[in-house]
């Protein structure tokens, strides 16, 4: 897709951007980020703008990367459901390898921002959540009810990240 854009084929920058933003499942990613920053704000210790912004951006990028990996892994299943049949990997607008490459870049940058701008524990939580969702949870979905337990952990980590960014985990 990027090569197509760089070669001047009939794809605009906006179309390219839209394809990759869609990989992040932006509505879900926003809610994950929101759960993280809300617990940051509610934590008892003082807050600061740089940590808040780093937590926000790092969480958005790490969550988006996990969602991109999920889409790259599941086009055959996604093509069978009306809700997911128009996703960019299913429709061929983005290849699985492009989704994985995008996820590698955004996940690395996101966890790096969490490491430098927040703290190493929050960065480790972000990286752990990325792996738990995109590999463990996704792999278990069709094999075991244990995916529900893994999903519960995945849902609990972003608020823990926010608390850890401001609380006593640092």
């Amino acid at each position: 897709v990027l090569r197509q854009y760089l070669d001047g084929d009939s794809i605009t920058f906006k179309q390219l951007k839209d394809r990759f933003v869609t990989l992040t499942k932006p509505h879900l990613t926003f809610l994950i980020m929101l759960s993280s920053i809300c617990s940051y704000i509610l934590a008892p210790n003082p807050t600061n703008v740089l940590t808040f912004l780093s937590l926000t951006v790092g969480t958005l990028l790490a969550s988006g990367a996990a969602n991109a990996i999920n889409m790259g892994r599941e086009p055959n299943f996604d093509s069978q459901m009306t809700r997911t049949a128009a996703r960019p990997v299913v429709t061929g607008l983005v290849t699985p390898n492009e989704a994985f490459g995008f996820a590698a870049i955004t996940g690395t940058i996101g966890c790096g921002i969490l490491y430098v701008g927040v703290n190493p524990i929050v960065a480790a939580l972000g990286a752990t959540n990325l792996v738990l969702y995109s590999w463990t949870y996704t792999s278990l979905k069709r094999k075991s009810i244990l995916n529900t337990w893994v999903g519960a952990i995945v849902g609990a980590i972003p608020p823990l990240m926010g608390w850890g960014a401001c609380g006593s985990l640092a």
Side-chain angles (χ1 to χ4, degrees):
V1 171
L2 184 57
R3 180 173 306 226
Q4 181 184 8
Y5 174 74
L6 294 174
D7 290 344
D9 290 348
S10 62
I11 182 173
T12 67
F13 178 76
K14 182 183 179 329
Q15 290 170 321
L16 180 67
K17 175 190 66 82
D18 289 348
R19 291 174 187 186
F20 285 98
V21 167
T22 302
L23 284 176
T24 68
K25 301 179 188 174
H27 296 105
L28 176 60
T29 293
F30 177 80
L31 292 173
I32 291 165
M33 177 273 302
L34 192 61
S35 73
S36 179
I37 64 172
C38 285
S39 63
Y40 176 76
I41 292 166
L42 292 171
N45 294 340
T47 61
N48 72 65
V49 173
L50 183 59
T51 302
F52 177 81
L53 292 174
S54 297
L55 178 66
T56 301
V57 174
T59 302
L60 284 170
L61 291 171
S63 175
N67 289 321
I69 293 169
N70 174 269
M71 280 197 208
R73 292 189 65 203
E74 301 225 302
N76 294 333
F77 297 111
D78 287 347
S79 67
Q80 298 173 26
M81 294 183 289
T82 305
R83 178 179 64 83
T84 58
R87 288 182 172 171
V89 178
V90 174
T91 60
L93 295 174
V94 176
T95 68
N97 284 339
E98 290 168 336
F100 298 143
F102 173 75
I105 293 167
T106 56
T108 300
I109 293 170
C111 290
I113 289 170
L114 292 170
Y115 186 88
V116 172
V118 182
N119 63 55
I121 293 173
V122 171
L125 287 168
T128 299
N129 218 28
L130 193 157
V131 171
L132 279 175
Y133 176 73
S134 59
W135 296 103
T136 310
Y137 171 80
T138 298
S139 297
L140 287 173
K141 276 198 297 195
R142 288 168 194 83
K143 295 179 182 169
S144 170
I145 195 166
L146 289 176
N147 78 306
T148 306
W149 291 93
V150 174
I153 294 168
V154 167
I157 287 177
L160 183 59
M161 290 169 61
W163 192 269
C166 186
S168 59
L169 290 180

